[in-house]
CSV table of all heavy atoms in Angstrom, one decimal:
chain,number,residue,atom,x,y,z
A,268,ASP,N,5.3,15.1,-10.7
A,268,ASP,CA,5.2,15.0,-12.2
A,268,ASP,C,4.1,14.1,-12.7
A,268,ASP,O,3.9,13.9,-13.9
A,268,ASP,CB,6.5,14.7,-12.9
A,268,ASP,CG,7.0,13.3,-12.8
A,268,ASP,OD1,6.1,12.4,-12.4
A,268,ASP,OD2,8.1,13.0,-13.2
A,269,GLY,N,3.4,13.5,-11.7
A,269,GLY,CA,2.2,12.7,-12.1
A,269,GLY,C,2.5,11.2,-12.4
A,269,GLY,O,1.6,10.5,-12.8
A,270,THR,N,3.8,10.8,-12.3
A,270,THR,CA,4.1,9.4,-12.6
A,270,THR,C,3.4,8.5,-11.5
A,270,THR,O,2.9,7.4,-11.8
A,270,THR,CB,5.7,9.2,-12.5
A,270,THR,OG1,6.2,10.0,-13.5
A,270,THR,CG2,6.0,7.7,-12.8
A,271,ILE,N,3.4,9.0,-10.3
A,271,ILE,CA,2.7,8.3,-9.2
A,271,ILE,C,1.3,8.7,-9.2
A,271,ILE,O,0.9,9.9,-9.1
A,271,ILE,CB,3.4,8.5,-7.8
A,271,ILE,CG1,4.8,7.8,-7.8
A,271,ILE,CG2,2.5,8.0,-6.7
A,271,ILE,CD1,5.6,8.1,-6.6
A,272,ASP,N,0.4,7.7,-9.3
A,272,ASP,CA,-1.1,7.9,-9.4
A,272,ASP,C,-1.7,8.0,-8.0
A,272,ASP,O,-2.7,8.7,-7.8
A,272,ASP,CB,-1.7,6.8,-10.2
A,272,ASP,CG,-1.1,6.8,-11.6
A,272,ASP,OD1,-1.6,7.5,-12.5
A,272,ASP,OD2,-0.2,6.0,-11.8
A,273,CYS,N,-1.2,7.2,-7.1
A,273,CYS,CA,-1.9,7.1,-5.8
A,273,CYS,C,-0.9,7.0,-4.6
A,273,CYS,O,0.2,6.6,-4.8
A,273,CYS,CB,-2.7,5.8,-5.7
A,273,CYS,SG,-3.8,5.4,-7.1
A,274,ILE,N,-1.3,7.4,-3.5
A,274,ILE,CA,-0.6,7.1,-2.2
A,274,ILE,C,-1.5,6.1,-1.5
A,274,ILE,O,-2.7,6.3,-1.3
A,274,ILE,CB,-0.3,8.4,-1.4
A,274,ILE,CG1,0.6,9.3,-2.2
A,274,ILE,CG2,0.4,8.0,-0.1
A,274,ILE,CD1,0.9,10.6,-1.5
A,275,ALA,N,-0.9,5.0,-1.0
A,275,ALA,CA,-1.6,4.0,-0.3
A,275,ALA,C,-0.8,3.5,0.8
A,275,ALA,O,0.5,3.4,0.7
A,275,ALA,CB,-2.0,2.8,-1.3
A,276,SER,N,-1.4,3.1,1.9
A,276,SER,CA,-0.5,2.9,3.1
A,276,SER,C,0.2,1.6,3.2
A,276,SER,O,1.1,1.4,3.9
A,276,SER,CB,-1.4,3.1,4.4
A,276,SER,OG,-2.3,2.0,4.5
A,277,ASP,N,-0.3,0.6,2.5
A,277,ASP,CA,0.1,-0.8,2.8
A,277,ASP,C,0.1,-1.1,4.3
A,277,ASP,O,1.0,-1.7,4.8
A,277,ASP,CB,1.5,-1.1,2.2
A,277,ASP,CG,1.9,-2.5,2.1
A,277,ASP,OD1,1.0,-3.4,2.4
A,277,ASP,OD2,3.0,-2.9,1.7
A,278,HIS,N,-1.0,-0.6,4.9
A,278,HIS,CA,-1.3,-0.9,6.3
A,278,HIS,C,-1.1,-2.4,6.6
A,278,HIS,O,-2.0,-3.2,6.2
A,278,HIS,CB,-2.7,-0.4,6.6
A,278,HIS,CG,-3.1,-0.6,8.1
A,278,HIS,ND1,-2.7,0.2,9.1
A,278,HIS,CD2,-3.9,-1.5,8.6
A,278,HIS,CE1,-3.3,-0.2,10.2
A,278,HIS,NE2,-4.0,-1.3,9.9
A,279,ALA,N,0.0,-2.8,7.3
A,279,ALA,CA,0.2,-4.2,7.5
A,279,ALA,C,0.6,-4.4,8.9
A,279,ALA,O,1.8,-4.6,9.3
A,279,ALA,CB,1.4,-4.6,6.6
Side-chain angles (χ1 to χ4, degrees):
D268 78 10
T270 303
I271 289 172
D272 301 275
C273 313
I274 299 178
S276 72
D277 195 2
H278 177 78

